[in-house]
Amino acid sequence: MTMILCCGEALIDMLPRPMAEGAQGFVPHCGGSVFNTAIALGRLEVEAALLTGLSRDMWGRMLEDELLRSRVNPTYAVISDRPTTLAFVQLTDGHASYSFHDEGSASRMIDDEDLPDLPDRVRTLFFGGISLCYPPFCDTLVTLAEREARRRVIMLDPNIRPGFITDPGEQRARLARMVAAADVVKASDEDLAWLYPDLPTPEQQADAMLADGPAIVLLTRGGDGASALLTGGRRVDVSASPVEVVDTVGAGDTFNAGFLARATALGLDDRAALLGASDAELADCLGFAAGAAAVTVSRAGANPPWADEIRQ
């Protein structure tokens, strides 16, 4: 079987919960955008692995246990005695803010010499999340993407979070290299506006991104659906799956996994096949991704669906 290798952070989200005596407590949950995408792929019965840093501490064992439970291969994780990244979440009027404990963490301190040689069965690499913001791992991921560009399918979700970016110019330059290496980029309107602030519309911004390297830009619009934009003005649109939304945590991560899972099932995990995909094939991938994301938003937290929960 072919494999998808997800490359990025794995961390523990500490979610607030009131205690019986009225104090504020926190409950640990496995998380990280790239971790969530790998989990979603495993649950969709796609052969998936995660390239990240895992600690030998109790939180690292918790993350590894969840990977195994969701059928994700942890072989490519770099194991160390460094601490696990902890993200304490504070909710104010429903909006989340984060306090990260990340200095010297297992998930962050990965450099070029930690990168594995990849077997041919790894046909697709996925990159994204806050791991693209913090050195040395962010620069290691650029090295890997550029090393494997045009040899394997590369998908990128920049998932811009301005609050995590200390030097916007440096981050735009880093992401420009990732975009140039990618075959597929998934982006929201907000991502495109941040990456291309001098262009007024998402369509113009997507055209600029296509000119920078990728063959396909996936534009997600929440409840308004998603589109695949390609060079020459070619466009494929799908509507969102109707669902009662509980929260949107992990929706984008599940969308990424759904698109890659369906592309793999259709044989589009080969670069030539993906770049030659028909409108019907792209619509199939987008529709499956939207359906998977709809299951995630219908329940609390980043809890991607298992394969038997997706309506075909």
Side-chain angles (χ1 to χ4, degrees):
M1 294 180 64
T2 63
M3 177 182 286
I4 298 173
L5 181 62
C6 299
C7 310
E9 78 278 358
L11 53 82
I12 298 294
D13 284 319
M14 304 295 287
L15 302 182
R17 178 172 296 177
M19 307 297 286
E21 61 275 17
Q24 178 68 71
F26 290 89
V27 177
H29 290 266
C30 295
S33 179
V34 177
F35 179 92
N36 292 338
T37 296
I39 291 294
L41 283 167
R43 293 186 181 186
L44 293 173
E45 299 181 353
V46 176
E47 191 77 12
L50 180 65
L51 172 60
T52 192
L54 290 180
S55 175
R56 293 187 180 92
D57 65 16
M58 63 180 290
W59 306 120
R61 292 194 299 272
M62 180 176 169
L63 289 164
E64 184 173 8
D65 287 346
E66 181 57 32
L67 290 173
L68 293 171
R69 190 179 78 85
S70 296
R71 305 170 184 168
V72 178
N73 186 338
T75 301
Y76 293 97
V78 179
I79 308 299
S80 73
D81 291 321
R82 300 185 181 100
T84 297
T85 297
L86 301 180
F88 285 83
V89 181
Q90 185 69 45
L91 296 174
T92 305
D93 296 327
H95 298 285
S97 58
Y98 297 84
S99 175
F100 272 82
H101 296 258
D102 190 40
E103 287 297 326
S105 69
S107 185
R108 179 172 175 176
M109 304 304 293
I110 299 176
D111 55 31
D112 290 0
E113 63 188 32
D114 293 314
L115 290 176
D117 293 324
L118 301 178
D120 291 342
R121 66 190 295 256
V122 177
R123 302 282 290 274
T124 302
L125 300 179
F126 172 80
F127 298 87
I130 63 168
S131 51
L132 296 173
C133 296
Y134 297 122
F137 197 19
C138 60
D139 297 316
T140 303
L141 292 173
V142 174
T143 297
L144 178 61
E146 291 181 336
R147 188 187 84 182
E148 301 298 331
R150 313 304 177 246
R151 298 174 58 197
R152 310 172 201 267
V153 172
I154 293 181
M155 180 172 175
L156 169 69
D157 179 1
N159 195 13
I160 304 297
R161 298 185 185 184
F164 295 122
I165 297 170
T166 57
D167 186 331
E170 180 181 60
Q171 185 66 5
R172 285 190 176 94
R174 180 181 295 116
L175 288 175
R177 293 173 64 186
M178 294 293 293
V179 167
D183 300 299
V184 181
V185 180
K186 194 286 292 286
S188 66
D189 289 356
E190 293 82 4
D191 294 332
L192 290 173
W194 191 90
L195 287 166
Y196 299 94
D198 297 329
L199 296 174
T201 69
E203 288 72 22
Q204 289 174 301
Q205 294 153 2
D207 285 343
M209 179 174 280
L210 288 167
D212 287 341
I216 304 170
V217 172
L218 305 179
L219 179 59
T220 55
R221 301 183 305 276
D224 293 327
S227 304
L229 307 179
L230 300 92
T231 55
R234 185 175 160 208
R235 177 174 182 143
V236 178
D237 299 301
V238 299
S239 58
S241 300
V243 66
E244 184 174 342
V245 176
V246 173
D247 67 45
T248 60
V249 178
D253 308 326
T254 302
F255 183 95
N256 295 331
F259 183 88
L260 289 174
R262 192 60 184 156
T264 298
L266 294 175
L268 303 180
D269 54 345
D270 172 81
R271 282 195 75 248
L274 177 64
L275 301 188
S278 67
D279 287 3
E281 288 171 325
L282 291 172
D284 192 345
C285 294
L286 288 171
F288 186 87
V295 176
T296 298
V297 302
S298 72
R299 53 203 190 193
N303 185 9
W306 297 83
D308 60 7
E309 296 180 277
I310 304 295
R311 295 191 299 271
Q312 296 291 335

